[in-house]
Amino acid sequence: MKLVFATLSIVFLVLASSLVHPCMAISDAIKPNSSLDCDSKCGVRCSKSGHDRCLTFCLKCCLKCNCVPSGTYGNKHECPCYRDMMNSKGNPKCP
């Protein structure tokens, strides 16, 4: 009986460990920017503006560029990708 229990325990552990990696991959796919907190960075960036629209575009830019310039305005030289993104009219996309 002990041998059966030990064997089943080992099989269960092997199966459980094989499921850990796919779950972690799904988690990474949902939130690709774990090193940068876009919500808080964009919250600071958009604190003095029309908050909803600014946040929407800031979050899009942050997720794509993986950076947000400091302050509430300017400093775009800190993040060239953020600075160089344009909308369809040729205007800066990122606030």
Side-chain angles (χ1 to χ4, degrees):
M1 186 68 174
K2 289 183 180 181
L3 182 61
V4 172
F5 181 73
T7 304
L8 287 175
S9 296
I10 291 172
V11 169
F12 176 75
L13 288 173
V14 169
L15 289 174
S17 69
S18 69
L19 295 175
V20 171
H21 294 292
C23 292
M24 293 175 111
I26 291 169
S27 174
D28 289 344
I30 292 170
K31 189 169 183 181
N33 266 344
S34 59
S35 63
L36 179 69
D37 184 12
C38 290
D39 291 332
S40 65
K41 294 274 189 184
C42 287
V44 171
R45 183 82 180 163
C46 297
S47 63
K48 293 184 178 181
S49 68
H51 211 63
D52 292 338
R53 189 163 187 245
C54 180
L55 272 177
T56 299
F57 288 105
C58 182
L59 289 171
K60 287 180 183 180
C61 295
C62 178
L63 290 173
K64 184 168 183 169
C65 297
N66 200 26
C67 63
V68 175
S70 62
T72 57
Y73 185 79
N75 300 323
K76 289 188 177 182
H77 65 279
E78 297 174 355
C79 183
C81 170
Y82 191 97
R83 175 193 65 212
D84 297 338
M85 285 182 68
M86 301 292 171
N87 64 18
S88 60
K89 295 179 183 177
N91 297 324
K93 183 174 189 168
C94 307

